Each structure stands twice: as C-alpha cells, then as structure tokens.
Amino acid sequence: NKKAFVELLFWKSPSTAYEMTKGYGSLQEGEGAGRSRVPPWTPQEEQELRELYWKYKEVEGEDIIAAILAHLSVPGRTRRQVVKQLVRL
C-alpha cells in the first residue's frame, strides 16, 4: 500500500494496527483482538429463555434470573448475559 505512510501520522488502536499488518477486514473474520468472547445466542436458546422467563416470572419470592440459570440447557451463560438477552428480547 503506497499510502500507508499517511495512516502512520494518526494515533492507532491495537485493533487498527492489527488490521494494518494483517489486512483490512481481518477483524471481521473473527481473528485478532476484536473477536467476541461471548458466544451468540441461537434461536433455540432464545426460545428456551423466553419459555423459562414466562414460567418463572410469576413465582413470588424467588430470583427469576437464578431460576432461569439453574434450568438453562446450555451451561456457561452468566447472569449478566441472561439479563442482557432478556432486555434485548
């Protein structure tokens, strides 16, 4: 790239520097520092989350999120991930 010297005039983040050396678009392929560590929710997991929410939302005196976490078929989800996904849904 003959114009790469222009990019060197401006401050770069580590992810941008990675893209400059490995090729532009490499972070979107899941490589490098920009990849997501949280696995995406599948449609089946979203449906299960909806069903568990409707099942446990009426239970008095119990933490809904704790009940959902205890009954999720796929272990490894954190409380924050479940809450964030419920808000998104």
Side-chain angles (χ1 to χ4, degrees):
N1 187 353
K2 294 179 181 180
K3 297 182 182 179
F5 68 91
V6 175
E7 291 200 35
L8 296 175
L9 298 174
F10 302 98
W11 183 258
K12 302 290 182 232
S13 67
S15 60
T16 306
Y18 180 85
E19 276 196 325
M20 286 176 63
T21 58
K22 299 295 182 185
Y24 293 102
S26 61
L27 287 181
Q28 285 126 10
E29 297 169 4
E31 299 176 1
R35 82 178 145 202
S36 175
R37 291 187 179 106
V38 178
W41 288 81
T42 63
Q44 294 82 12
E45 290 175 331
E46 288 179 353
Q47 183 61 31
E48 180 184 15
L49 187 62
R50 281 188 196 100
E51 291 171 2
L52 288 172
Y53 172 75
W54 287 108
K55 181 178 178 181
Y56 292 109
K57 79 173 198 147
E58 299 296 328
V59 177
E60 301 244 351
E62 186 177 338
D63 185 18
I64 298 171
I65 305 301
I68 291 173
L69 282 171
H71 293 91
L72 273 177
S73 63
V74 179
R77 294 287 183 185
T78 64
R79 182 179 182 88
R80 178 176 283 195
Q81 290 171 348
V82 170
V83 169
K84 188 175 181 181
Q85 187 66 17
L86 281 172
V87 169
R88 193 184 74 74
L89 293 174

Coordinates of all heavy atoms in Angstrom, one line a residue:
N1 N 0.9 -1.2 0.0 CA 0.0 0.0 0.0 C 0.9 1.2 0.0 O 1.6 1.5 1.0 CB -0.9 0.0 1.2 CG -1.9 1.1 1.2 OD1 -1.9 1.9 0.3 ND2 -2.9 1.0 2.1
K2 N 0.9 2.0 -1.0 CA 1.7 3.2 -1.2 C 1.3 4.3 -0.3 O 2.1 5.2 0.0 CB 1.7 3.6 -2.6 CG 2.3 2.6 -3.6 CD 2.3 3.2 -5.0 CE 2.9 2.1 -6.0 NZ 2.9 2.6 -7.3
K3 N 0.1 4.3 0.2 CA -0.4 5.4 1.1 C -0.4 5.0 2.5 O -1.1 5.7 3.3 CB -1.7 5.9 0.6 CG -1.7 6.4 -0.9 CD -3.0 6.9 -1.3 CE -2.8 7.4 -2.8 NZ -4.1 7.8 -3.3
A4 N 0.2 4.0 2.9 CA 0.2 3.6 4.3 C 0.9 4.6 5.2 O 0.6 4.7 6.4 CB 0.9 2.2 4.5
F5 N 1.9 5.3 4.7 CA 2.6 6.3 5.5 C 1.6 7.4 6.0 O 1.8 7.9 7.1 CB 3.7 7.0 4.7 CG 3.2 7.8 3.5 CD1 3.0 9.2 3.7 CD2 3.0 7.3 2.3 CE1 2.6 10.0 2.7 CE2 2.6 8.1 1.2 CZ 2.4 9.4 1.4
V6 N 0.5 7.7 5.3 CA -0.5 8.6 5.8 C -1.1 8.1 7.0 O -1.4 8.9 8.0 CB -1.5 8.9 4.7 CG1 -2.6 9.9 5.2 CG2 -0.8 9.5 3.4
E7 N -1.4 6.8 7.1 CA -2.0 6.3 8.3 C -1.1 6.3 9.5 O -1.6 6.4 10.6 CB -2.4 4.8 8.0 CG -3.6 4.7 7.0 CD -4.3 3.4 7.1 OE1 -4.4 2.9 8.2 OE2 -4.7 2.9 6.0
L8 N 0.2 6.4 9.3 CA 1.1 6.4 10.4 C 1.1 7.8 11.1 O 1.6 7.9 12.2 CB 2.5 6.0 9.9 CG 2.6 4.6 9.4 CD1 4.0 4.4 8.9 CD2 2.3 3.6 10.5
L9 N 0.5 8.8 10.5 CA 0.5 10.1 11.0 C -0.5 10.2 12.2 O -0.5 11.2 12.9 CB 0.2 11.2 9.9 CG 1.2 11.3 8.8 CD1 0.7 12.2 7.8 CD2 2.6 11.7 9.4
F10 N -1.4 9.3 12.3 CA -2.5 9.4 13.2 C -2.4 8.2 14.2 O -1.9 7.1 13.9 CB -3.9 9.3 12.5 CG -4.1 10.4 11.5 CD1 -3.8 10.2 10.2 CD2 -4.4 11.7 12.0 CE1 -4.0 11.2 9.3 CE2 -4.6 12.7 11.1 CZ -4.3 12.5 9.7
W11 N -2.9 8.5 15.5 CA -2.8 7.5 16.6 C -3.7 6.3 16.2 O -4.8 6.5 15.7 CB -3.3 8.2 17.8 CG -3.2 7.2 19.0 CD1 -4.2 6.5 19.6 CD2 -2.0 6.9 19.7 NE1 -3.8 5.8 20.6 CE2 -2.4 6.0 20.7 CE3 -0.7 7.2 19.6 CZ2 -1.5 5.4 21.6 CZ3 0.2 6.6 20.5 CH2 -0.2 5.8 21.5
K12 N -3.2 5.1 16.5 CA -3.9 3.9 16.1 C -4.2 3.1 17.4 O -3.4 3.0 18.3 CB -3.1 3.0 15.2 CG -2.8 3.7 13.9 CD -4.0 3.9 13.0 CE -3.6 4.5 11.7 NZ -4.4 5.7 11.4
S13 N -5.3 2.4 17.4 CA -5.6 1.5 18.5 C -5.0 0.1 18.1 O -4.6 -0.1 17.0 CB -7.1 1.3 18.6 OG -7.6 0.7 17.5
P14 N -4.8 -0.8 19.1 CA -4.2 -2.1 18.8 C -5.0 -2.8 17.7 O -4.4 -3.5 16.9 CB -4.3 -2.8 20.1 CG -4.3 -1.7 21.2 CD -5.1 -0.6 20.5
S15 N -6.3 -2.7 17.7 CA -7.1 -3.5 16.7 C -6.8 -2.9 15.3 O -6.7 -3.6 14.3 CB -8.6 -3.5 17.0 OG -9.0 -2.1 17.1
T16 N -6.7 -1.6 15.2 CA -6.4 -0.9 13.9 C -5.0 -1.3 13.4 O -4.8 -1.6 12.2 CB -6.6 0.6 14.0 OG1 -7.9 0.9 14.6 CG2 -6.5 1.2 12.7
A17 N -4.1 -1.3 14.3 CA -2.7 -1.7 13.9 C -2.7 -3.2 13.5 O -2.0 -3.5 12.5 CB -1.8 -1.5 15.1
Y18 N -3.5 -4.0 14.1 CA -3.5 -5.4 13.7 C -4.1 -5.5 12.3 O -3.6 -6.2 11.5 CB -4.4 -6.2 14.7 CG -4.6 -7.6 14.3 CD1 -3.6 -8.6 14.7 CD2 -5.7 -8.1 13.6 CE1 -3.8 -9.9 14.4 CE2 -5.8 -9.4 13.2 CZ -4.9 -10.3 13.6 OH -5.0 -11.6 13.3
E19 N -5.1 -4.7 12.0 CA -5.7 -4.7 10.7 C -4.7 -4.2 9.6 O -4.7 -4.7 8.5 CB -7.0 -3.9 10.6 CG -8.2 -4.7 11.1 CD -9.5 -4.0 10.6 OE1 -9.5 -2.7 10.6 OE2 -10.4 -4.7 10.3
M20 N -3.9 -3.2 10.0 CA -3.0 -2.7 9.0 C -1.9 -3.7 8.7 O -1.5 -3.8 7.5 CB -2.3 -1.4 9.6 CG -3.2 -0.2 9.7 SD -2.4 1.2 10.5 CE -1.0 1.5 9.4
T21 N -1.5 -4.5 9.6 CA -0.5 -5.5 9.4 C -1.0 -6.8 8.8 O -0.3 -7.4 7.9 CB 0.3 -5.8 10.6 OG1 -0.6 -6.3 11.6 CG2 1.0 -4.6 11.2
K22 N -2.2 -7.2 9.1 CA -2.7 -8.5 8.7 C -3.7 -8.4 7.5 O -4.1 -9.3 6.9 CB -3.5 -9.2 9.8 CG -2.6 -9.6 11.0 CD -1.6 -10.5 10.6 CE -0.7 -10.9 11.9 NZ 0.4 -11.7 11.6
G23 N -4.1 -7.1 7.2 CA -5.0 -6.9 6.1 C -6.4 -6.4 6.6 O -6.8 -6.8 7.7
Y24 N -6.9 -5.5 5.9 CA -8.2 -4.9 6.3 C -9.3 -5.9 6.2 O -9.4 -6.7 5.3 CB -8.5 -3.6 5.5 CG -7.5 -2.5 5.8 CD1 -6.5 -2.2 4.9 CD2 -7.6 -1.8 7.0 CE1 -5.6 -1.2 5.2 CE2 -6.7 -0.8 7.2 CZ -5.7 -0.5 6.4 OH -4.8 0.4 6.7
G25 N -10.2 -5.9 7.2 CA -11.3 -6.8 7.2 C -11.0 -8.1 8.0 O -11.8 -9.0 8.2
S26 N -9.7 -8.2 8.5 CA -9.4 -9.5 9.2 C -10.1 -9.6 10.6 O -10.3 -10.7 11.0 CB -7.9 -9.5 9.4 OG -7.4 -8.5 10.2
L27 N -10.4 -8.4 11.2 CA -11.1 -8.5 12.5 C -12.5 -8.9 12.3 O -13.1 -9.5 13.2 CB -11.0 -7.1 13.2 CG -9.7 -6.7 13.7 CD1 -9.8 -5.4 14.4 CD2 -9.2 -7.8 14.7
Q28 N -13.1 -8.7 11.2 CA -14.5 -9.1 11.0 C -14.6 -10.6 10.7 O -15.6 -11.2 10.9 CB -15.1 -8.4 9.8 CG -15.5 -7.0 10.1 CD -14.9 -6.0 9.1 OE1 -14.3 -6.4 8.1 NE2 -14.9 -4.7 9.5
E29 N -13.5 -11.2 10.4 CA -13.4 -12.7 10.2 C -13.3 -13.4 11.5 O -13.2 -14.6 11.5 CB -12.3 -13.0 9.2 CG -12.4 -12.5 7.9 CD -11.2 -12.6 7.0 OE1 -10.2 -13.2 7.5 OE2 -11.1 -12.1 5.9
G30 N -13.2 -12.7 12.6 CA -13.1 -13.4 13.9 C -11.6 -13.6 14.4 O -11.4 -14.3 15.3
E31 N -10.7 -12.9 13.7 CA -9.3 -13.0 14.1 C -8.9 -11.8 15.0 O -9.5 -10.8 14.9 CB -8.4 -13.1 12.9 CG -8.7 -14.3 12.0 CD -7.8 -14.2 10.7 OE1 -7.0 -13.3 10.6 OE2 -8.0 -15.1 9.9
G32 N -7.8 -12.0 15.7 CA -7.2 -10.8 16.4 C -7.9 -10.4 17.7 O -8.7 -11.1 18.2
A33 N -7.6 -9.2 18.1 CA -8.1 -8.7 19.4 C -9.6 -8.3 19.4 O -10.2 -8.2 20.4 CB -7.3 -7.4 19.8
G34 N -10.2 -8.2 18.2 CA -11.6 -7.7 18.2 C -12.6 -8.8 18.2 O -13.8 -8.5 18.2
R35 N -12.2 -10.0 18.3 CA -13.2 -11.1 18.3 C -14.0 -11.1 19.6 O -13.5 -10.8 20.7 CB -12.6 -12.4 18.0 CG -12.0 -13.1 19.2 CD -11.5 -14.4 18.8 NE -10.3 -14.5 19.7 CZ -9.3 -15.3 19.5 NH1 -9.2 -16.0 18.4 NH2 -8.3 -15.3 20.3
S36 N -15.3 -11.5 19.5 CA -16.1 -11.6 20.7 C -15.9 -12.9 21.4 O -15.8 -14.0 20.9 CB -17.6 -11.5 20.2 OG -18.5 -11.7 21.3
R37 N -15.8 -12.8 22.7 CA -15.6 -13.9 23.6 C -16.9 -14.5 24.0 O -16.9 -15.6 24.6 CB -14.8 -13.5 24.8 CG -13.4 -13.2 24.4 CD -12.5 -13.0 25.7 NE -11.2 -12.6 25.3 CZ -10.6 -11.4 25.3 NH1 -11.4 -10.4 25.8 NH2 -9.4 -11.2 25.0
V38 N -18.0 -13.8 23.8 CA -19.3 -14.3 24.2 C -20.0 -15.0 23.0 O -20.1 -14.4 22.0 CB -20.2 -13.2 24.7 CG1 -21.6 -13.7 25.0 CG2 -19.6 -12.4 25.8
P39 N -20.3 -16.3 23.2 CA -21.0 -17.0 22.0 C -22.4 -16.4 21.8 O -23.1 -16.0 22.7 CB -21.1 -18.4 22.5 CG -20.9 -18.4 23.9 CD -20.1 -17.2 24.3
P40 N -22.7 -16.2 20.5 CA -24.1 -15.6 20.3 C -25.2 -16.6 20.7 O -25.0 -17.8 20.8 CB -24.0 -15.4 18.7 CG -23.0 -16.4 18.2 CD -22.0 -16.6 19.3
W41 N -26.3 -16.0 20.9 CA -27.5 -16.8 21.3 C -28.1 -17.4 20.0 O -28.4 -16.7 19.1 CB -28.5 -15.9 22.0 CG -28.1 -15.5 23.4 CD1 -27.3 -14.5 23.7 CD2 -28.6 -16.1 24.6 NE1 -27.2 -14.4 25.1 CE2 -27.9 -15.4 25.6 CE3 -29.4 -17.2 24.9 CZ2 -28.1 -15.7 27.0 CZ3 -29.6 -17.5 26.3 CH2 -29.0 -16.8 27.3
T42 N -28.4 -18.7 20.1 CA -29.0 -19.3 19.0 C -30.5 -19.1 19.1 O -31.0 -18.8 20.2 CB -28.7 -20.9 19.0 OG1 -29.3 -21.4 20.1 CG2 -27.2 -21.1 18.9
P43 N -31.3 -19.3 18.0 CA -32.8 -19.2 18.1 C -33.4 -20.1 19.1 O -34.3 -19.8 19.8 CB -33.2 -19.4 16.7 CG -32.1 -19.1 15.8 CD -30.9 -19.4 16.6
Q44 N -32.8 -21.3 19.2 CA -33.3 -22.3 20.2 C -33.1 -21.9 21.6 O -34.0 -22.0 22.5 CB -32.7 -23.7 20.0 CG -33.0 -24.4 18.7 CD -32.2 -23.9 17.5 OE1 -31.1 -23.2 17.7 NE2 -32.6 -24.2 16.3
E45 N -31.9 -21.3 21.9 CA -31.6 -20.8 23.2 C -32.5 -19.6 23.5 O -33.0 -19.5 24.7 CB -30.2 -20.4 23.3 CG -29.2 -21.5 23.3 CD -27.7 -21.0 23.3 OE1 -27.5 -19.9 22.8 OE2 -26.9 -21.8 23.8
E46 N -32.8 -18.7 22.6 CA -33.7 -17.6 22.8 C -35.1 -18.1 23.1 O -35.7 -17.5 24.0 CB -33.7 -16.7 21.6 CG -32.4 -15.9 21.4 CD -32.5 -15.0 20.2 OE1 -33.4 -15.1 19.4 OE2 -31.5 -14.2 20.0
Q47 N -35.6 -19.1 22.4 CA -36.9 -19.6 22.7 C -37.0 -20.3 24.1 O -37.9 -20.0 24.8 CB -37.3 -20.7 21.6 CG -38.7 -21.2 21.8 CD -39.7 -20.2 21.7 OE1 -39.6 -19.2 20.9 NE2 -40.8 -20.4 22.4
E48 N -35.9 -21.0 24.4 CA -35.9 -21.6 25.8 C -35.8 -20.5 26.8 O -36.5 -20.6 27.9 CB -34.6 -22.5 25.9 CG -34.5 -23.1 27.2 CD -33.2 -23.9 27.4 OE1 -32.3 -23.7 26.6 OE2 -33.1 -24.7 28.3
L49 N -35.1 -19.4 26.6 CA -35.1 -18.3 27.5 C -36.4 -17.7 27.7 O -36.8 -17.4 28.8 CB -34.0 -17.3 27.1 CG -33.7 -16.1 28.0 CD1 -33.1 -16.7 29.3 CD2 -32.8 -15.2 27.3
R50 N -37.1 -17.5 26.6 CA -38.5 -16.9 26.7 C -39.4 -17.8 27.5 O -40.2 -17.3 28.4 CB -39.1 -16.8 25.3 CG -38.6 -15.6 24.5 CD -39.4 -15.4 23.2 NE -38.8 -14.5 22.3 CZ -38.0 -14.9 21.3 NH1 -37.8 -16.2 21.0 NH2 -37.4 -14.0 20.5
E51 N -39.4 -19.1 27.2 CA -40.2 -20.1 27.9 C -39.9 -20.1 29.4 O -40.8 -20.1 30.3 CB -40.1 -21.5 27.3 CG -40.7 -21.6 25.9 CD -40.3 -22.9 25.3 OE1 -39.6 -23.7 25.9 OE2 -40.7 -23.0 24.1
L52 N -38.6 -20.1 29.8 CA -38.2 -20.1 31.2 C -38.6 -18.8 31.9 O -39.1 -18.8 33.0 CB -36.7 -20.3 31.3 CG -36.2 -21.8 31.0 CD1 -34.7 -21.8 31.0 CD2 -36.8 -22.7 32.0
Y53 N -38.5 -17.7 31.2 CA -38.9 -16.4 31.8 C -40.4 -16.4 32.1 O -40.8 -16.0 33.2 CB -38.6 -15.3 30.8 CG -39.2 -13.9 31.3 CD1 -38.6 -13.3 32.4 CD2 -40.3 -13.4 30.7 CE1 -39.1 -12.1 32.8 CE2 -40.8 -12.2 31.2 CZ -40.2 -11.6 32.2 OH -40.8 -10.4 32.7
W54 N -41.2 -16.9 31.1 CA -42.7 -16.9 31.3 C -43.1 -17.9 32.4 O -44.0 -17.7 33.1 CB -43.4 -17.2 30.0 CG -43.4 -16.0 29.1 CD1 -42.7 -15.9 27.9 CD2 -44.1 -14.7 29.3 NE1 -42.9 -14.7 27.4 CE2 -43.7 -13.9 28.2 CE3 -44.9 -14.2 30.2 CZ2 -44.2 -12.6 28.0 CZ3 -45.4 -12.9 30.1 CH2 -45.0 -12.2 29.0
K55 N -42.3 -18.9 32.5 CA -42.6 -19.9 33.6 C -42.3 -19.4 35.0 O -43.0 -19.7 35.9 CB -41.7 -21.2 33.3 CG -42.0 -22.3 34.3 CD -41.1 -23.5 33.9 CE -41.3 -24.7 34.9 NZ -40.5 -25.8 34.5
Y56 N -41.2 -18.7 35.1 CA -40.7 -18.3 36.5 C -41.0 -16.8 36.8 O -40.7 -16.4 37.9 CB -39.2 -18.5 36.6 CG -38.9 -20.0 36.6 CD1 -38.2 -20.6 35.5 CD2 -39.2 -20.8 37.7 CE1 -38.0 -21.9 35.5 CE2 -38.9 -22.1 37.7 CZ -38.3 -22.7 36.6 OH -38.0 -24.1 36.6
K57 N -41.6 -16.1 35.9 CA -41.9 -14.7 36.3 C -43.0 -14.5 37.3 O -43.0 -13.5 38.0 CB -42.2 -13.8 35.0 CG -43.6 -14.0 34.5 CD -43.8 -13.0 33.4 CE -45.3 -12.8 33.2 NZ -45.6 -11.5 32.8
E58 N -43.8 -15.4 37.4 CA -45.0 -15.3 38.4 C -44.6 -15.9 39.8 O -45.4 -15.7 40.7 CB -46.2 -16.0 37.8 CG -46.7 -15.5 36.5 CD -47.2 -14.0 36.7 OE1 -47.7 -13.7 37.7 OE2 -47.0 -13.3 35.7
V59 N -43.5 -16.5 39.9 CA -43.1 -17.2 41.2 C -42.7 -16.0 42.2 O -41.8 -15.3 41.9 CB -42.0 -18.2 41.0 CG1 -41.6 -18.7 42.4 CG2 -42.4 -19.3 40.1
E60 N -43.4 -16.0 43.3 CA -43.1 -14.9 44.3 C -42.0 -15.3 45.2 O -41.8 -16.5 45.6 CB -44.4 -14.7 45.1 CG -45.6 -14.3 44.3 CD -46.0 -12.9 44.6 OE1 -45.5 -12.3 45.6 OE2 -46.9 -12.4 43.9
G61 N -41.2 -14.4 45.5 CA -40.1 -14.6 46.5 C -38.9 -15.3 45.9 O -38.0 -15.7 46.7
E62 N -38.8 -15.5 44.6 CA -37.7 -16.2 44.0 C -37.0 -15.3 43.0 O -37.7 -14.6 42.3 CB -38.2 -17.5 43.4 CG -37.0 -18.4 42.9 CD -37.5 -19.7 42.3 OE1 -38.6 -20.1 42.6 OE2 -36.8 -20.3 41.5
D63 N -35.7 -15.4 42.9 CA -35.0 -14.7 41.9 C -35.2 -15.3 40.5 O -34.9 -16.5 40.3 CB -33.5 -14.7 42.3 CG -32.7 -13.8 41.3 OD1 -33.2 -13.0 40.6 OD2 -31.4 -14.0 41.3
I64 N -35.8 -14.6 39.6 CA -36.1 -15.1 38.3 C -34.9 -15.5 37.5 O -34.8 -16.6 37.0 CB -36.9 -14.1 37.5 CG1 -38.2 -13.7 38.2 CG2 -37.2 -14.6 36.1 CD1 -39.0 -12.6 37.5
I65 N -33.9 -14.7 37.6 CA -32.6 -15.0 36.8 C -31.9 -16.2 37.4 O -31.4 -17.0 36.6 CB -31.7 -13.8 36.8 CG1 -32.4 -12.5 36.3 CG2 -30.4 -14.0 36.0 CD1 -32.9 -12.6 34.9
A66 N -31.9 -16.4 38.7 CA -31.3 -17.6 39.3 C -32.0 -18.8 38.9 O -31.4 -19.9 38.6 CB -31.3 -17.4 40.8
A67 N -33.4 -18.8 38.8 CA -34.2 -19.9 38.4 C -33.9 -20.2 36.9 O -33.8 -21.4 36.5 CB -35.6 -19.6 38.6
I68 N -33.8 -19.2 36.1 CA -33.5 -19.4 34.7 C -32.1 -20.0 34.5 O -32.0 -21.0 33.7 CB -33.7 -18.1 33.9 CG1 -35.1 -17.7 33.8 CG2 -33.1 -18.2 32.5 CD1 -35.4 -16.3 33.2
L69 N -31.2 -19.5 35.2 CA -29.8 -20.0 35.1 C -29.7 -21.5 35.5 O -29.0 -22.3 34.9 CB -28.8 -19.2 35.9 CG -28.4 -17.9 35.3 CD1 -27.6 -17.1 36.3 CD2 -27.5 -18.1 34.1
A70 N -30.5 -21.9 36.5 CA -30.5 -23.2 37.0 C -31.1 -24.2 36.0 O -30.8 -25.4 36.0 CB -31.2 -23.3 38.3
H71 N -32.0 -23.7 35.2 CA -32.7 -24.6 34.2 C -32.3 -24.4 32.8 O -32.9 -25.1 31.9 CB -34.2 -24.4 34.4 CG -34.8 -24.8 35.7 ND1 -34.8 -24.0 36.8 CD2 -35.2 -26.0 36.2 CE1 -35.3 -24.6 37.8 NE2 -35.5 -25.9 37.5
L72 N -31.4 -23.6 32.5 CA -30.9 -23.5 31.1 C -30.2 -24.8 30.7 O -29.4 -25.4 31.4 CB -29.9 -22.3 30.9 CG -30.5 -21.0 30.6 CD1 -29.4 -19.9 30.6 CD2 -31.3 -20.9 29.4
S73 N -30.5 -25.2 29.4 CA -30.0 -26.5 29.0 C -28.5 -26.3 28.6 O -27.7 -27.3 28.6 CB -30.8 -27.0 27.8 OG -30.7 -26.1 26.7
V74 N -28.1 -25.1 28.2 CA -26.7 -24.9 27.8 C -26.0 -24.2 29.0 O -26.3 -23.0 29.3 CB -26.6 -24.0 26.5 CG1 -25.2 -23.8 26.2 CG2 -27.3 -24.7 25.4
P75 N -25.1 -24.9 29.7 CA -24.4 -24.2 30.8 C -23.3 -23.2 30.3 O -23.0 -23.3 29.1 CB -23.7 -25.4 31.6 CG -23.6 -26.4 30.5 CD -24.7 -26.2 29.5
G76 N -22.9 -22.4 31.2 CA -21.8 -21.5 30.8 C -22.3 -20.0 30.6 O -21.5 -19.1 30.4
R77 N -23.6 -19.8 30.6 CA -24.1 -18.4 30.5 C -24.0 -17.7 31.8 O -24.3 -18.3 32.9 CB -25.5 -18.4 30.0 CG -25.7 -18.9 28.6 CD -25.2 -17.9 27.6 NE -25.4 -18.4 26.2 CZ -25.0 -17.8 25.2 NH1 -24.3 -16.7 25.3 NH2 -25.3 -18.3 24.0
T78 N -23.6 -16.5 31.8 CA -23.5 -15.7 33.1 C -24.8 -15.0 33.4 O -25.7 -14.9 32.5 CB -22.4 -14.7 33.1 OG1 -22.7 -13.7 32.0 CG2 -21.1 -15.4 32.8
R79 N -25.0 -14.6 34.6 CA -26.2 -13.8 34.9 C -26.3 -12.6 34.1 O -27.4 -12.2 33.6 CB -26.1 -13.4 36.4 CG -27.3 -12.7 37.0 CD -27.1 -12.4 38.5 NE -28.2 -11.7 39.0 CZ -29.3 -12.3 39.5 NH1 -29.4 -13.7 39.5 NH2 -30.3 -11.7 39.9
R80 N -25.2 -11.9 33.9 CA -25.2 -10.7 33.0 C -25.6 -10.9 31.6 O -26.4 -10.2 31.0 CB -23.8 -10.0 33.0 CG -23.7 -8.8 32.2 CD -22.4 -8.1 32.3 NE -22.4 -7.4 33.6 CZ -21.5 -6.5 33.9 NH1 -20.5 -6.2 33.0 NH2 -21.5 -5.9 35.0
Q81 N -25.2 -12.1 31.0 CA -25.5 -12.4 29.7 C -27.0 -12.7 29.6 O -27.7 -12.3 28.6 CB -24.8 -13.6 29.2 CG -23.3 -13.4 29.0 CD -22.5 -14.7 28.7 OE1 -23.0 -15.8 29.0 NE2 -21.3 -14.5 28.3
V82 N -27.6 -13.4 30.6 CA -29.0 -13.7 30.6 C -29.9 -12.4 30.7 O -30.8 -12.2 30.0 CB -29.4 -14.7 31.7 CG1 -30.9 -14.9 31.8 CG2 -28.7 -16.1 31.4
V83 N -29.5 -11.6 31.6 CA -30.2 -10.3 31.8 C -30.2 -9.5 30.5 O -31.2 -8.9 30.1 CB -29.7 -9.5 33.0 CG1 -30.3 -8.1 33.1 CG2 -30.0 -10.3 34.3
K84 N -29.0 -9.4 29.9 CA -28.8 -8.6 28.7 C -29.7 -9.1 27.6 O -30.3 -8.4 26.8 CB -27.3 -8.5 28.3 CG -27.0 -7.6 27.2 CD -25.5 -7.5 27.0 CE -25.2 -6.6 25.9 NZ -23.7 -6.6 25.6
Q85 N -29.7 -10.4 27.5 CA -30.5 -11.1 26.4 C -32.0 -10.9 26.7 O -32.8 -10.7 25.7 CB -30.1 -12.5 26.3 CG -30.8 -13.2 25.1 CD -30.3 -12.7 23.8 OE1 -29.3 -12.0 23.6 NE2 -31.1 -13.0 22.7
L86 N -32.4 -11.0 27.9 CA -33.8 -10.7 28.2 C -34.2 -9.3 27.9 O -35.3 -9.1 27.4 CB -34.1 -11.1 29.7 CG -34.2 -12.5 30.0 CD1 -34.3 -12.7 31.6 CD2 -35.5 -13.1 29.4
V87 N -33.4 -8.4 28.2 CA -33.7 -7.0 27.9 C -33.8 -6.8 26.4 O -34.7 -6.1 25.8 CB -32.7 -6.0 28.5 CG1 -32.8 -4.6 28.0 CG2 -32.8 -6.0 30.0
R88 N -32.9 -7.4 25.7 CA -32.9 -7.3 24.2 C -34.1 -8.0 23.6 O -34.7 -7.4 22.6 CB -31.6 -8.0 23.6 CG -31.4 -7.7 22.1 CD -30.2 -8.4 21.6 NE -30.5 -9.8 21.3 CZ -31.2 -10.3 20.4 NH1 -31.8 -9.5 19.5 NH2 -31.4 -11.6 20.2
L89 N -34.6 -9.1 24.2 CA -35.8 -9.7 23.6 C -37.0 -8.9 24.0 O -38.0 -9.0 23.3 CB -35.9 -11.1 24.2 CG -34.8 -12.1 23.7 CD1 -35.0 -13.4 24.5 CD2 -35.0 -12.4 22.2

